[in-house]
Amino acid sequence: MSSSTKQGYKTVFDIPREEYQAPGHGLCAGCTAGTIVRLLLKVAGPNTIVVNATGCVEVSTTTFPYTSWKVSYIHVAFENTAAVASGIEAAIKILKQKGVIDPNKQMNIIALAGDGGTADIGIQALSGMLERGHKVMYVMYDNEAYMNTGIQRSGATPKLAWTTTTPVGKVLKGKLQIKKPMAEIVAAHRIPYVATANPAYFLDMMNKFRRGLEVEGPSFIHVIQPCTTGWRFDPRLGIKIARLATETAMWINWELDHDEFRVTVPVPKRKHVKHYIRLQGRFNHLTDADIEEIQKMVDKEVERINKMVGKEIIGPVVE
Ligand SMILES: Cc1ncc(C[n+]2csc(CCOP(=O)(O)OP(=O)(O)O)c2C)c(N)n1
Ligand code: SF4
């Protein structure tokens, strides 16, 4: 990490100019995964090894014989991202002990996977990595479905969202179950650092990447990632929708740093969830009553978070 990253990112002028993700990748127009990964690599810098599960980011950046990665990169199977990252971390530790690698050399090992690769198929390897305590930062970019294979539901798909495997019709009104609380499942492993982040609050997100790379032991950053294709919105709107996720408290930006819990983006005046939902085609089928059901779920979650913080860090709905 550069010296500016050590102090944290306060303004856009602190963001490193160097690019470690080359332009020309094949992500869809307006895909916010590109923004997340680009900023992630700016924080991590050149001494980085990325271990990437199959998913949109992988298929769009590694089309043979090209690559968008200017850092070391390994594509791994869906279910073993965290296992491979663990192995790399252990190997580097030994090579440092043996003097093959300079023991003072700072190297970042980043595991990168989507919600399907993390919350569903990769969760076992992730849990093992966390429990063993490897110094790896795991970044889950959460587009809330299996996007690269054509929009199938994942454990992280929100309740009532349309996907191809939760089709809307006479029988179903989208996904029946609630979104799996991945960051909290990870937090239950008592690792040094867990955070949720949002590319619309990019300095907050970058500071979380910075902190995740800095702590001793595993860290996990869960990033919401609006998907133009699967969420069905105009490619211009990705960051606006991401911001609305936080403004409506559908997505709360928090961190748990060595047992200290903080909401990093307070929302004193909350927007109604309809502002977030009505912009997305995956929720087109919802009636006003359905949206009120989602609003109630969010209100309950806000109450829980405010209780944890001990004050009204997220305020009432005002518009
Ligand atoms: C064990 C296994 N099952 C299924 C697949 C097929 N597959 C490849 S990518 C993918 C979905 C990935 O979804 P996610 O991790 O959410 O990433 P996204 O495509 O949304 O970026 C699936 C099901 C696979 N590669 N391996
Ligand atoms: S399907 Fe969604 S997540 Fe995948 S590249 Fe396209 S916009 Fe990005």
Side-chain angles (χ1 to χ4, degrees), residues 27 33 53-59 75-79 113-121 141-152 154 225 227:
L27 293 162
T54 309
C56 279
V57 168
E58 173 265 323
V59 297
H75 166 221
V76 290
F78 214 27
E79 55 277 71
D115 48 302
T118 306
D120 299 338
I121 307 181
Y141 66 94
D142 187 1
N143 50 31
E144 300 190 324
Y146 294 19
M147 292 306 179
N148 114 87
T149 42
I151 325 175
Q152 296 90 19
S154 81
Q225 189 253 294
C227 161

mmCIF file of all heavy atoms in Angstrom, residues 27 33 53-59 75-79 113-121 141-152 154 225 227, ligand 1:
data_model
loop_
_atom_site.group_PDB
_atom_site.id
_atom_site.type_symbol
_atom_site.label_atom_id
_atom_site.label_comp_id
_atom_site.label_asym_id
_atom_site.label_seq_id
_atom_site.Cartn_x
_atom_site.Cartn_y
_atom_site.Cartn_z
ATOM 1 N N LEU A 27 -17.107 -6.634 -19.357
ATOM 2 C CA LEU A 27 -18.283 -6.476 -18.481
ATOM 3 C C LEU A 27 -19.358 -5.705 -19.239
ATOM 4 O O LEU A 27 -19.042 -4.878 -20.106
ATOM 5 C CB LEU A 27 -17.908 -5.707 -17.204
ATOM 6 C CG LEU A 27 -16.950 -6.412 -16.230
ATOM 7 C CD1 LEU A 27 -16.327 -5.408 -15.259
ATOM 8 C CD2 LEU A 27 -17.670 -7.502 -15.449
ATOM 9 N N ALA A 33 -19.401 -3.761 -11.213
ATOM 10 C CA ALA A 33 -18.307 -4.641 -10.773
ATOM 11 C C ALA A 33 -16.966 -4.058 -11.212
ATOM 12 O O ALA A 33 -15.964 -4.149 -10.493
ATOM 13 C CB ALA A 33 -18.481 -6.048 -11.338
ATOM 14 N N ALA A 53 -12.881 -16.533 -8.293
ATOM 15 C CA ALA A 53 -13.792 -17.628 -8.658
ATOM 16 C C ALA A 53 -14.424 -17.344 -10.012
ATOM 17 O O ALA A 53 -14.500 -16.197 -10.461
ATOM 18 C CB ALA A 53 -14.894 -17.737 -7.613
ATOM 19 N N THR A 54 -14.932 -18.359 -10.619
ATOM 20 C CA THR A 54 -15.724 -18.212 -11.834
ATOM 21 C C THR A 54 -16.871 -17.242 -11.546
ATOM 22 O O THR A 54 -17.440 -17.255 -10.469
ATOM 23 C CB THR A 54 -16.304 -19.579 -12.226
ATOM 24 O OG1 THR A 54 -15.232 -20.510 -12.248
ATOM 25 C CG2 THR A 54 -16.974 -19.535 -13.566
ATOM 26 N N GLY A 55 -17.169 -16.407 -12.503
ATOM 27 C CA GLY A 55 -18.244 -15.424 -12.323
ATOM 28 C C GLY A 55 -18.074 -14.327 -13.360
ATOM 29 O O GLY A 55 -17.173 -14.403 -14.210
ATOM 30 N N CYS A 56 -18.930 -13.321 -13.302
ATOM 31 C CA CYS A 56 -18.880 -12.245 -14.304
ATOM 32 C C CYS A 56 -17.507 -11.607 -14.389
ATOM 33 O O CYS A 56 -16.981 -11.377 -15.481
ATOM 34 C CB CYS A 56 -19.898 -11.160 -13.952
ATOM 35 S SG CYS A 56 -21.559 -11.581 -14.472
ATOM 36 N N VAL A 57 -16.914 -11.300 -13.239
ATOM 37 C CA VAL A 57 -15.627 -10.602 -13.251
ATOM 38 C C VAL A 57 -14.581 -11.466 -13.954
ATOM 39 O O VAL A 57 -13.807 -10.981 -14.787
ATOM 40 C CB VAL A 57 -15.184 -10.228 -11.812
ATOM 41 C CG1 VAL A 57 -13.728 -9.778 -11.785
ATOM 42 C CG2 VAL A 57 -16.087 -9.132 -11.253
ATOM 43 N N GLU A 58 -14.599 -12.727 -13.642
ATOM 44 C CA GLU A 58 -13.597 -13.636 -14.236
ATOM 45 C C GLU A 58 -13.810 -13.793 -15.750
ATOM 46 O O GLU A 58 -12.881 -13.594 -16.535
ATOM 47 C CB GLU A 58 -13.663 -14.994 -13.521
ATOM 48 C CG GLU A 58 -12.801 -16.073 -14.133
ATOM 49 C CD GLU A 58 -13.584 -16.962 -15.106
ATOM 50 O OE1 GLU A 58 -14.761 -17.262 -14.850
ATOM 51 O OE2 GLU A 58 -12.991 -17.340 -16.123
ATOM 52 N N VAL A 59 -15.034 -14.104 -16.170
ATOM 53 C CA VAL A 59 -15.224 -14.373 -17.605
ATOM 54 C C VAL A 59 -15.004 -13.120 -18.443
ATOM 55 O O VAL A 59 -14.602 -13.202 -19.599
ATOM 56 C CB VAL A 59 -16.619 -14.976 -17.939
ATOM 57 C CG1 VAL A 59 -16.813 -16.333 -17.295
ATOM 58 C CG2 VAL A 59 -17.760 -14.052 -17.584
ATOM 59 N N HIS A 75 -7.364 -17.904 -11.731
ATOM 60 C CA HIS A 75 -8.786 -18.254 -11.794
ATOM 61 C C HIS A 75 -8.959 -19.628 -11.175
ATOM 62 O O HIS A 75 -8.254 -20.567 -11.524
ATOM 63 C CB HIS A 75 -9.261 -18.263 -13.261
ATOM 64 C CG HIS A 75 -10.592 -18.927 -13.437
ATOM 65 N ND1 HIS A 75 -10.874 -19.765 -14.490
ATOM 66 C CD2 HIS A 75 -11.701 -18.896 -12.668
ATOM 67 C CE1 HIS A 75 -12.116 -20.207 -14.377
ATOM 68 N NE2 HIS A 75 -12.642 -19.698 -13.272
ATOM 69 N N VAL A 76 -9.904 -19.724 -10.247
ATOM 70 C CA VAL A 76 -10.113 -20.998 -9.564
ATOM 71 C C VAL A 76 -11.568 -21.422 -9.698
ATOM 72 O O VAL A 76 -12.423 -20.635 -10.093
ATOM 73 C CB VAL A 76 -9.726 -20.905 -8.073
ATOM 74 C CG1 VAL A 76 -8.228 -20.784 -7.924
ATOM 75 C CG2 VAL A 76 -10.425 -19.737 -7.405
ATOM 76 N N ALA A 77 -11.820 -22.675 -9.317
ATOM 77 C CA ALA A 77 -13.177 -23.182 -9.429
ATOM 78 C C ALA A 77 -14.081 -22.472 -8.424
ATOM 79 O O ALA A 77 -13.644 -21.889 -7.442
ATOM 80 C CB ALA A 77 -13.190 -24.692 -9.221
ATOM 81 N N PHE A 78 -15.352 -22.563 -8.712
ATOM 82 C CA PHE A 78 -16.402 -21.892 -7.954
ATOM 83 C C PHE A 78 -16.291 -22.134 -6.441
ATOM 84 O O PHE A 78 -16.470 -21.249 -5.628
ATOM 85 C CB PHE A 78 -17.703 -22.503 -8.471
ATOM 86 C CG PHE A 78 -18.864 -21.596 -8.528
ATOM 87 C CD1 PHE A 78 -18.754 -20.234 -8.677
ATOM 88 C CD2 PHE A 78 -20.137 -22.148 -8.434
ATOM 89 C CE1 PHE A 78 -19.874 -19.427 -8.743
ATOM 90 C CE2 PHE A 78 -21.257 -21.353 -8.499
ATOM 91 C CZ PHE A 78 -21.125 -19.994 -8.653
ATOM 92 N N GLU A 79 -15.997 -23.396 -6.078
ATOM 93 C CA GLU A 79 -16.108 -23.773 -4.669
ATOM 94 C C GLU A 79 -14.824 -23.660 -3.869
ATOM 95 O O GLU A 79 -14.853 -23.864 -2.663
ATOM 96 C CB GLU A 79 -16.659 -25.203 -4.550
ATOM 97 C CG GLU A 79 -15.889 -26.274 -5.306
ATOM 98 C CD GLU A 79 -16.290 -26.363 -6.780
ATOM 99 O OE1 GLU A 79 -15.931 -25.411 -7.497
ATOM 100 O OE2 GLU A 79 -16.905 -27.349 -7.188
ATOM 101 N N ALA A 113 -14.927 -13.094 -5.244
ATOM 102 C CA ALA A 113 -15.981 -13.966 -5.787
ATOM 103 C C ALA A 113 -17.333 -13.278 -5.681
ATOM 104 O O ALA A 113 -17.526 -12.364 -4.867
ATOM 105 C CB ALA A 113 -16.010 -15.293 -5.023
ATOM 106 N N GLY A 114 -18.253 -13.746 -6.486
ATOM 107 C CA GLY A 114 -19.608 -13.218 -6.460
ATOM 108 C C GLY A 114 -20.399 -13.798 -5.299
ATOM 109 O O GLY A 114 -19.873 -14.549 -4.466
ATOM 110 N N ASP A 115 -21.681 -13.459 -5.266
ATOM 111 C CA ASP A 115 -22.523 -13.962 -4.175
ATOM 112 C C ASP A 115 -22.760 -15.461 -4.300
ATOM 113 O O ASP A 115 -22.770 -16.185 -3.308
ATOM 114 C CB ASP A 115 -23.850 -13.199 -4.100
ATOM 115 C CG ASP A 115 -24.529 -13.059 -5.448
ATOM 116 O OD1 ASP A 115 -23.903 -12.496 -6.361
ATOM 117 O OD2 ASP A 115 -25.675 -13.511 -5.604
ATOM 118 N N GLY A 116 -22.911 -15.952 -5.525
ATOM 119 C CA GLY A 116 -23.080 -17.395 -5.713
ATOM 120 C C GLY A 116 -21.833 -18.129 -5.254
ATOM 121 O O GLY A 116 -21.899 -19.109 -4.503
ATOM 122 N N GLY A 117 -20.680 -17.638 -5.682
ATOM 123 C CA GLY A 117 -19.397 -18.250 -5.331
ATOM 124 C C GLY A 117 -19.090 -18.149 -3.850
ATOM 125 O O GLY A 117 -18.270 -18.912 -3.333
ATOM 126 N N THR A 118 -19.727 -17.222 -3.158
ATOM 127 C CA THR A 118 -19.420 -17.013 -1.737
ATOM 128 C C THR A 118 -20.515 -17.584 -0.840
ATOM 129 O O THR A 118 -20.260 -18.440 0.002
ATOM 130 C CB THR A 118 -19.274 -15.497 -1.453
ATOM 131 O OG1 THR A 118 -18.322 -14.953 -2.356
ATOM 132 C CG2 THR A 118 -18.818 -15.256 -0.020
ATOM 133 N N ALA A 119 -21.729 -17.091 -1.033
ATOM 134 C CA ALA A 119 -22.803 -17.435 -0.092
ATOM 135 C C ALA A 119 -23.317 -18.853 -0.305
ATOM 136 O O ALA A 119 -23.889 -19.444 0.607
ATOM 137 C CB ALA A 119 -23.953 -16.442 -0.242
ATOM 138 N N ASP A 120 -23.125 -19.398 -1.511
ATOM 139 C CA ASP A 120 -23.635 -20.743 -1.792
ATOM 140 C C ASP A 120 -22.485 -21.748 -1.910
ATOM 141 O O ASP A 120 -22.113 -22.375 -0.945
ATOM 142 C CB ASP A 120 -24.487 -20.731 -3.069
ATOM 143 C CG ASP A 120 -25.697 -19.801 -2.941
ATOM 144 O OD1 ASP A 120 -26.098 -19.513 -1.808
ATOM 145 O OD2 ASP A 120 -26.220 -19.355 -3.970
ATOM 146 N N ILE A 121 -21.871 -21.821 -3.090
ATOM 147 C CA ILE A 121 -20.949 -22.940 -3.322
ATOM 148 C C ILE A 121 -19.621 -22.785 -2.582
ATOM 149 O O ILE A 121 -19.031 -23.762 -2.172
ATOM 150 C CB ILE A 121 -20.734 -23.166 -4.831
ATOM 151 C CG1 ILE A 121 -22.092 -23.317 -5.515
ATOM 152 C CG2 ILE A 121 -19.898 -24.415 -5.082
ATOM 153 C CD1 ILE A 121 -22.040 -23.574 -6.988
ATOM 154 N N TYR A 141 -18.349 -9.583 -4.226
ATOM 155 C CA TYR A 141 -19.143 -8.580 -4.958
ATOM 156 C C TYR A 141 -20.528 -9.185 -5.166
ATOM 157 O O TYR A 141 -20.685 -10.262 -5.709
ATOM 158 C CB TYR A 141 -18.462 -8.148 -6.273
ATOM 159 C CG TYR A 141 -18.334 -9.220 -7.329
ATOM 160 C CD1 TYR A 141 -19.298 -9.359 -8.316
ATOM 161 C CD2 TYR A 141 -17.262 -10.094 -7.342
ATOM 162 C CE1 TYR A 141 -19.197 -10.347 -9.299
ATOM 163 C CE2 TYR A 141 -17.148 -11.086 -8.307
ATOM 164 C CZ TYR A 141 -18.123 -11.201 -9.276
ATOM 165 O OH TYR A 141 -18.028 -12.188 -10.221
ATOM 166 N N ASP A 142 -21.517 -8.461 -4.686
ATOM 167 C CA ASP A 142 -22.844 -9.058 -4.537
ATOM 168 C C ASP A 142 -23.838 -8.455 -5.529
ATOM 169 O O ASP A 142 -24.466 -7.429 -5.260
ATOM 170 C CB ASP A 142 -23.310 -8.835 -3.087
ATOM 171 C CG ASP A 142 -24.614 -9.557 -2.782
ATOM 172 O OD1 ASP A 142 -25.150 -10.230 -3.670
ATOM 173 O OD2 ASP A 142 -25.081 -9.432 -1.634
ATOM 174 N N ASN A 143 -23.990 -9.133 -6.674
ATOM 175 C CA ASN A 143 -25.003 -8.679 -7.635
ATOM 176 C C ASN A 143 -26.311 -9.448 -7.440
ATOM 177 O O ASN A 143 -27.203 -9.411 -8.267
ATOM 178 C CB ASN A 143 -24.491 -8.760 -9.079
ATOM 179 C CG ASN A 143 -23.897 -10.121 -9.392
ATOM 180 O OD1 ASN A 143 -24.322 -11.133 -8.848
ATOM 181 N ND2 ASN A 143 -22.905 -10.143 -10.269
ATOM 182 N N GLU A 144 -26.375 -10.161 -6.355
ATOM 183 C CA GLU A 144 -27.612 -10.764 -5.853
ATOM 184 C C GLU A 144 -28.233 -11.821 -6.767
ATOM 185 O O GLU A 144 -29.433 -12.043 -6.742
ATOM 186 C CB GLU A 144 -28.626 -9.665 -5.484
ATOM 187 C CG GLU A 144 -28.069 -8.724 -4.403
ATOM 188 C CD GLU A 144 -29.068 -7.761 -3.817
ATOM 189 O OE1 GLU A 144 -29.933 -7.283 -4.568
ATOM 190 O OE2 GLU A 144 -28.998 -7.487 -2.609
ATOM 191 N N ALA A 145 -27.408 -12.462 -7.576
ATOM 192 C CA ALA A 145 -27.844 -13.627 -8.366
ATOM 193 C C ALA A 145 -26.627 -14.212 -9.081
ATOM 194 O O ALA A 145 -25.540 -13.647 -9.035
ATOM 195 C CB ALA A 145 -28.921 -13.244 -9.378
ATOM 196 N N TYR A 146 -26.844 -15.360 -9.733
ATOM 197 C CA TYR A 146 -25.789 -15.954 -10.573
ATOM 198 C C TYR A 146 -25.929 -15.263 -11.917
ATOM 199 O O TYR A 146 -26.726 -15.683 -12.753
ATOM 200 C CB TYR A 146 -26.012 -17.447 -10.754
ATOM 201 C CG TYR A 146 -25.886 -18.315 -9.513
ATOM 202 C CD1 TYR A 146 -25.960 -17.789 -8.230
ATOM 203 C CD2 TYR A 146 -25.683 -19.683 -9.645
ATOM 204 C CE1 TYR A 146 -25.847 -18.593 -7.111
ATOM 205 C CE2 TYR A 146 -25.572 -20.501 -8.529
ATOM 206 C CZ TYR A 146 -25.663 -19.942 -7.266
ATOM 207 O OH TYR A 146 -25.561 -20.759 -6.171
ATOM 208 N N MET A 147 -25.143 -14.237 -12.136
ATOM 209 C CA MET A 147 -25.381 -13.413 -13.317
ATOM 210 C C MET A 147 -24.739 -13.973 -14.570
ATOM 211 O O MET A 147 -25.333 -13.983 -15.638
ATOM 212 C CB MET A 147 -24.926 -11.980 -13.063
ATOM 213 C CG MET A 147 -25.766 -11.254 -12.029
ATOM 214 S SD MET A 147 -27.521 -11.305 -12.440
ATOM 215 C CE MET A 147 -28.248 -10.410 -11.076
ATOM 216 N N ASN A 148 -23.512 -14.472 -14.433
ATOM 217 C CA ASN A 148 -22.804 -14.837 -15.669
ATOM 218 C C ASN A 148 -23.415 -16.057 -16.336
ATOM 219 O O ASN A 148 -23.232 -16.270 -17.532
ATOM 220 C CB ASN A 148 -21.298 -14.960 -15.376
ATOM 221 C CG ASN A 148 -20.755 -16.337 -15.527
ATOM 222 O OD1 ASN A 148 -20.376 -16.705 -16.624
ATOM 223 N ND2 ASN A 148 -20.712 -17.087 -14.456
ATOM 224 N N THR A 149 -24.197 -16.825 -15.587
ATOM 225 C CA THR A 149 -24.861 -17.975 -16.207
ATOM 226 C C THR A 149 -26.319 -17.665 -16.547
ATOM 227 O O THR A 149 -27.074 -18.562 -16.900
ATOM 228 C CB THR A 149 -24.773 -19.198 -15.268
ATOM 229 O OG1 THR A 149 -25.018 -18.765 -13.940
ATOM 230 C CG2 THR A 149 -23.418 -19.852 -15.332
ATOM 231 N N GLY A 150 -26.745 -16.428 -16.382
ATOM 232 C CA GLY A 150 -28.067 -16.065 -16.875
ATOM 233 C C GLY A 150 -29.123 -15.768 -15.822
ATOM 234 O O GLY A 150 -30.298 -16.090 -16.015
ATOM 235 N N ILE A 151 -28.715 -15.173 -14.685
ATOM 236 C CA ILE A 151 -29.652 -14.617 -13.690
ATOM 237 C C ILE A 151 -30.450 -15.687 -12.941
ATOM 238 O O ILE A 151 -31.679 -15.655 -12.876
ATOM 239 C CB ILE A 151 -30.616 -13.562 -14.313
ATOM 240 C CG1 ILE A 151 -29.916 -12.750 -15.408
ATOM 241 C CG2 ILE A 151 -31.187 -12.644 -13.229
ATOM 242 C CD1 ILE A 151 -30.824 -11.771 -16.142
ATOM 243 N N GLN A 152 -29.731 -16.654 -12.355
ATOM 244 C CA GLN A 152 -30.414 -17.596 -11.464
ATOM 245 C C GLN A 152 -30.318 -17.075 -10.029
ATOM 246 O O GLN A 152 -29.349 -16.415 -9.673
ATOM 247 C CB GLN A 152 -29.779 -18.998 -11.532
ATOM 248 C CG GLN A 152 -29.903 -19.680 -12.880
ATOM 249 C CD GLN A 152 -28.743 -19.369 -13.811
ATOM 250 O OE1 GLN A 152 -27.686 -18.941 -13.390
ATOM 251 N NE2 GLN A 152 -28.948 -19.590 -15.097
ATOM 252 N N SER A 154 -29.601 -16.702 -6.095
ATOM 253 C CA SER A 154 -28.572 -17.192 -5.165
ATOM 254 C C SER A 154 -29.123 -17.019 -3.758
ATOM 255 O O SER A 154 -30.191 -16.433 -3.561
ATOM 256 C CB SER A 154 -27.270 -16.386 -5.309
ATOM 257 O OG SER A 154 -27.359 -15.166 -4.598
ATOM 258 N N GLN A 225 -23.381 -4.743 -5.447
ATOM 259 C CA GLN A 225 -22.930 -4.485 -6.822
ATOM 260 C C GLN A 225 -24.105 -4.504 -7.794
ATOM 261 O O GLN A 225 -24.450 -5.550 -8.361
ATOM 262 C CB GLN A 225 -21.879 -5.550 -7.197
ATOM 263 C CG GLN A 225 -21.182 -5.279 -8.515
ATOM 264 C CD GLN A 225 -21.670 -6.238 -9.598
ATOM 265 O OE1 GLN A 225 -21.428 -7.438 -9.501
ATOM 266 N NE2 GLN A 225 -22.304 -5.724 -10.634
ATOM 267 N N CYS A 227 -26.325 -4.609 -10.929
ATOM 268 C CA CYS A 227 -26.060 -5.321 -12.188
ATOM 269 C C CYS A 227 -27.113 -4.875 -13.205
ATOM 270 O O CYS A 227 -28.297 -5.175 -13.040
ATOM 271 C CB CYS A 227 -26.156 -6.817 -11.901
ATOM 272 S SG CYS A 227 -26.408 -7.863 -13.326
HETATM 273 C C1 LIG B 1 -19.603 -26.315 -8.905
HETATM 274 C C2 LIG B 1 -20.090 -25.461 -10.018
HETATM 275 N N1 LIG B 1 -21.400 -25.330 -10.226
HETATM 276 C C3 LIG B 1 -21.847 -24.520 -11.214
HETATM 277 C C4 LIG B 1 -20.976 -23.870 -12.031
HETATM 278 C C5 LIG B 1 -21.497 -22.992 -13.155
HETATM 279 N N2 LIG B 1 -21.332 -21.586 -12.821
HETATM 280 C C6 LIG B 1 -20.298 -20.864 -13.259
HETATM 281 S S1 LIG B 1 -20.379 -19.262 -12.770
HETATM 282 C C7 LIG B 1 -21.845 -19.530 -11.983
HETATM 283 C C8 LIG B 1 -22.582 -18.428 -11.306
HETATM 284 C C9 LIG B 1 -21.694 -17.426 -10.625
HETATM 285 O O1 LIG B 1 -22.471 -16.585 -9.851
HETATM 286 P P1 LIG B 1 -21.825 -15.574 -8.864
HETATM 287 O O2 LIG B 1 -20.798 -16.229 -8.023
HETATM 288 O O3 LIG B 1 -22.907 -14.872 -8.141
HETATM 289 O O4 LIG B 1 -21.023 -14.598 -9.826
HETATM 290 P P2 LIG B 1 -21.576 -13.657 -11.020
HETATM 291 O O5 LIG B 1 -21.657 -14.489 -12.236
HETATM 292 O O6 LIG B 1 -22.894 -13.116 -10.585
HETATM 293 O O7 LIG B 1 -20.515 -12.622 -11.123
HETATM 294 C C10 LIG B 1 -22.228 -20.866 -12.102
HETATM 295 C C11 LIG B 1 -23.478 -21.432 -11.535
HETATM 296 C C12 LIG B 1 -19.602 -24.043 -11.806
HETATM 297 N N3 LIG B 1 -18.677 -23.397 -12.520
HETATM 298 N N4 LIG B 1 -19.176 -24.838 -10.803
#
